[in-house]
Structure formats: C-alpha cells, structure tokens
C-alpha cells in the first residue's frame, strides 16, 4: 500500500489545522457499555477536550493549577497544609498527654489517701509491719 508523499505545503496545513483546533477547541465524547442479558456490567464514559491553555481557561477548565504534580504553587500549598495538620496533631497530643498526667496524679493521690484511710484489719500483713515501730 502506498501513501501519498506530503509536500512542503503538508506541514503548513497541519500547523494551520493544529492552530485552529487549539484556538477553538475540540470535544470528543464517547461511552462504552458492556451488557450481558440486559444487565449492565460496565460503563466507561470518555471525555476528551483538546484546546490551548488560554481557551481551556476561557471555558473554565483550570484543574492543572490545583494539581500538585503539575503546579509548584499547588505543591507548596499541599506541603503547607500537611505541615499545619502535623502541628495541630502534635499540639493535640501534647494537650492530651498533659490531661492524662493530671488525671493519673489525681488518681494516685486518691489511691494513697484511700490506703491511709483503711481500717487496720483491712490492711495487708506487709502494710501492718511497715506501720509498727
């Protein structure tokens, strides 16, 4: 099978077509559905937009600005948010640790007071030996 050779004008035509497509934009839509005995097993929806960045922004499409893998400013925002979250978690853990220490100290002091208040017959043999002179 032979293909017609492209002359010098072929490249210019391709460039013109590409410029026109990027300027105006092209939307390609397709759906793939797989059914078995009238039961839908799988649906794939395909949407493809080919346009220049400027044209895409005019259409309200700018997802690349918030994608950390494509935008350094989005990556910086993500890292800053992770740092804030980590700091918040550390503050929460420190506060919880302090509260638990206070509760433990209160329980220990109550336990010591309860031991001192027990009647002599309720005390263990070791406790009685420690108290006797």
């Amino acid at each position: 099978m032979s293909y017609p050779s492209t002359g010098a004008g072929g490249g210019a035509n391709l460039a013109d077509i590409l410029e026109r497509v990027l300027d105006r934009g092209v939307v390609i839509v397709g759906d793939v559905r797989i059914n078995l005995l009238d039961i839908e097993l799988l649906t794939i929806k395909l949407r493809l937009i080919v346009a220049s960045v400027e044209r895409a922004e005019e259409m309200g499409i700018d997802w690349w600005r918030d994608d950390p893998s494509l935008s350094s400013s989005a990556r910086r925002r993500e890292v800053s948010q992770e740092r804030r979250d980590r700091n918040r978690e550390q503050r929460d853990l420190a506060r919880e640790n302090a509260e638990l220490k206070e509760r433990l100290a209160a329980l220990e002091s109550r336990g010591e007071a309860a031991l001192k208040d027990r009647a002599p017959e309720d005390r263990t043999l070791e406790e009685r030996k420690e108290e006797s002179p």
Side-chain angles (χ1 to χ4, degrees), residues 3 10 15 20-22 24 26 28 35 42 48 50 59 64 72-73 77 80 85 95 104 108 114 117 128 130-132:
Y3 294 100
R20 217 174 285 152
V21 164
L22 291 177
R24 294 185 183 160
V26 173
I28 301 170
N35 294 337
L42 178 67
L48 175 66
V50 179
M59 293 187 289
W64 59 87
S72 59
S73 61
R77 284 191 304 269
S80 296
D85 291 345
R95 184 175 38 251
L104 181 60
E108 286 175 343
D117 292 343
R128 284 186 226 151
E130 289 174 3
E131 291 175 356
S132 61

Side-chain angles (χ1 to χ4, degrees), residues 26-52:
V26 173
V27 177
I28 301 170
V29 178
D31 293 340
V32 176
R33 290 186 184 179
I34 299 175
N35 294 337
L36 179 64
L37 300 173
D38 293 328
I39 299 172
E40 188 173 321
L41 299 176
L42 178 67
T43 300
I44 300 173
K45 295 186 175 214
L46 303 171
R47 308 292 184 261
L48 175 66
I49 297 175
V50 179
S52 66

